[in-house]
Amino acid sequence: MKRVSILGATGSIGTSTLDLIERDGDGFQIVAVTANCDVERLAALAIRTRAELAVVADETCLSALRDALQGTGIEAGGGSEAVLDAARRDCDWTMSAIVGCAGLRPTLAAIERGGTVVIANKEPLVSAGEVILAAARQSGATLLPADSEHNAIFQCFDAQRPGTVRRIILTASGGPFRQWTAERMRDVTPEQAVAHPNWSMGAKISVDSATLMNKGLELIEAARLFPVPGERIEIVVHPQSVIHSMVEYVDGSILAQLGPSDMRVPIAHTLAWPERMATPMQPLDFVGIGRFDFEEPDPQRFPALRLARQALEAGGARPAILNAANEIAVAAFLERRIGFLEIAAIVADTLDCHDPPAPDDVDAVLAIDGEARRIAAARVKDCVA
Ligand code: NDP
């Protein structure tokens, strides 16, 4: 029986992960589950799955969690240290699915513990890629990508012969505004931005998909996870979201991974790896799909892509600044404090006025992240004023 923990268990990825685990029945034992403050959902899933430990990151929610778990025998914890303890608790497999850089320390704690750590939470890898990879090398933890594109690349990439790879082709759906003019995007509402045409996801990543910042973060994520230089990672828009990414070899062969646009497919791959497990997904209906389209992404209408590529090329602190400013701008957009087009503008401004040296440990990353958040938040205030 695999002992598994889920960081961010109440979110979209957490829910998909639990769905697979609960369908499987006997193959998994849930060790720790965490949330920020959704006590009702966390307590319900902890009780349902007979978890050993449930933790809320927001300490003010701990007493409600204790009440909800009273008499169940499930331990309750609250606060950021308790999340780290949950991440360190002995288990074989951890899903890292907290949203944003809030997941950095918990992901690192899981990696330092060892075992298999599945990365859905891409922001820490963007901001602190070197630190995370060094921690994995030191502890011997196995990192597996849950992001559908990176999981696709992982399935196609010949890790024994990286020199035979000519390029990685990351596919992008193009998001809900793929065919919109910049003028029309000016008045986009949060409801429109989170309504992704192909995927059902949490609010932050849905907005990132609409600005294409998600693809920019994924570009950096791919450069961290696979030994291929950034200039050989290309992005192509594929609106059907059936081909999840491709790897091209020097002989011209291209391997692609295809599947339904449901995160349970890549998550199942990581849950069973190196074996396979069944999922409830219907087989792909190729005739029904009919055709695969490809387009070049437009960096004029979607400047986030350009900013992310520049941050990857410059390296150092740039990816952490890009990510932190984006987190602040997306939150402000979801709160209706700024417009949709201001998200990328705030990220660009923050990158312009913050240029610290490259971080060499997690504290340095978090200091850069904190300062970038402060600058971006001031810029949000300017927009509102
Ligand atoms: P959700 O917003 O649906 O869920 C986020 C989870 O993180 C919830 O459990 C939430 O708890 C918890 N959380 C939020 N803030 C904090 C905090 N400060 N400290 C600790 N926990 C916190 O996000 P998603 O599931 O959509 O995404 C999770 C990660 O996976 C993101 O990094 C995203 O980019 C990545 N990802 C998501 C995909 C998807 O299909 N959804 C696809 C590929 C990658 P609570 O419910 O209490 O707020």
Side-chain angles (χ1 to χ4, degrees), residues 14-255:
T15 302
S16 293
T17 308
L18 282 165
D19 178 77
L20 291 165
I21 288 172
E22 291 184 76
R23 279 171 197 275
D24 185 83
D26 303 332
F28 301 94
Q29 161 69 40
I30 303 280
V31 178
V33 284
T34 78
N36 188 33
C37 57
D38 189 341
V39 166
E40 200 178 324
R41 193 179 278 228
L42 182 68
L45 70 87
I47 293 168
R48 209 174 63 229
T49 62
R50 298 194 191 88
E52 292 174 13
L53 167 68
V55 172
V56 276
D58 182 340
E59 210 164 353
T60 63
C61 304
L62 176 57
S63 64
L65 181 65
R66 280 207 180 105
D67 290 348
L69 293 179
Q70 204 168 22
T72 63
I74 300 169
E75 287 173 63
S80 50
E81 278 304 314
V83 176
L84 296 184
D85 288 344
R88 286 187 195 115
R89 190 164 283 214
D90 181 49
C91 72
D92 306 305
W93 187 99
T94 305
M95 169 56 81
S96 159
I98 291 173
V99 60
C101 239
L104 172 53
R105 281 196 195 278
T107 302
L108 264 182
I111 290 172
E112 283 159 7
R113 183 211 60 229
T116 297
V117 180
V118 177
I119 308 285
N121 182 201
K122 64 192 83 179
E123 295 90 346
L125 208 49
V126 168
S127 296
E130 278 310 314
V131 174
I132 288 180
L133 296 178
R137 279 192 298 271
Q138 193 165 4
S139 71
T142 301
L143 300 187
L144 294 179
D147 221 341
S148 59
E149 295 77 0
H150 305 76
N151 185 268
I153 298 164
F154 180 74
Q155 294 195 45
C156 299
F157 197 97
D158 186 347
Q160 303 304 316
R161 297 169 196 80
T164 61
V165 172
R166 184 190 284 160
R167 60 179 176 146
I168 287 175
I169 301 151
L170 265 183
T171 55
S173 69
F177 311 129
R178 179 171 62 89
Q179 293 171 313
W180 288 36
T181 62
E183 193 48 42
R184 198 173 160 211
M185 281 192 267
R186 198 170 297 282
D187 299 321
V188 158
T189 63
E191 290 74 16
Q192 289 171 311
V194 299
H196 196 280
N198 303 343
W199 297 92
S200 162
M201 310 181 285
K204 193 263 178 184
I205 184 175
S206 296
V207 175
D208 286 346
S209 297
T211 59
L212 293 202
M213 180 59 90
N214 183 49
K215 211 48 58 180
L217 298 177
E218 287 180 3
L219 166 70
I220 301 172
E221 183 185 6
R224 308 283 201 222
L225 289 174
F226 303 101
V228 170
E231 65 272 15
R232 288 203 271 129
I233 305 174
E234 290 174 23
I235 296 170
V236 65
V237 174
H238 163 51
Q240 288 88 358
S241 293
V242 174
I243 301 173
H244 297 303
S245 277
M246 301 180 254
V247 177
E248 184 181 69
Y249 288 87
V250 287
D251 59 5
S253 292
I254 298 176
L255 300 191

Side-chain angles (χ1 to χ4, degrees), residues 206-355:
S206 296
V207 175
D208 286 346
S209 297
T211 59
L212 293 202
M213 180 59 90
N214 183 49
K215 211 48 58 180
L217 298 177
E218 287 180 3
L219 166 70
I220 301 172
E221 183 185 6
R224 308 283 201 222
L225 289 174
F226 303 101
V228 170
E231 65 272 15
R232 288 203 271 129
I233 305 174
E234 290 174 23
I235 296 170
V236 65
V237 174
H238 163 51
Q240 288 88 358
S241 293
V242 174
I243 301 173
H244 297 303
S245 277
M246 301 180 254
V247 177
E248 184 181 69
Y249 288 87
V250 287
D251 59 5
S253 292
I254 298 176
L255 300 191
Q257 187 264 354
L258 285 70
S261 15
D262 187 312
M263 283 305 293
R264 286 176 297 180
V265 176
I267 295 170
H269 177 259
T270 67
L271 261 176
W273 186 84
E275 308 294 330
R276 295 270 176 180
M277 67 189 277
T279 67
M281 259 57 72
Q282 292 300 312
L284 269 187
D285 171 9
F286 281 100
V287 175
I289 294 164
R291 53 190 261 185
F292 291 158
D293 293 311
F294 301 101
E295 296 165 12
E296 197 152 3
D298 180 352
Q300 301 309 318
R301 286 182 302 133
F302 298 101
L305 265 186
R306 183 173 37 80
L307 295 172
R309 191 170 282 282
Q310 286 167 351
L312 172 63
E313 281 165 9
R318 311 305 283 163
I321 298 169
L322 173 97
N323 177 69
N326 182 59
E327 286 194 33
I328 292 294
V330 170
F333 169 71
L334 285 169
E335 290 162 8
R336 298 176 205 281
R337 299 174 66 212
I338 60 168
F340 182 74
L341 297 182
E342 279 161 340
I343 298 173
I346 287 173
V347 175
D349 284 358
T350 309
L351 282 160
D352 279 348
C353 56
H354 189 32
D355 195 15

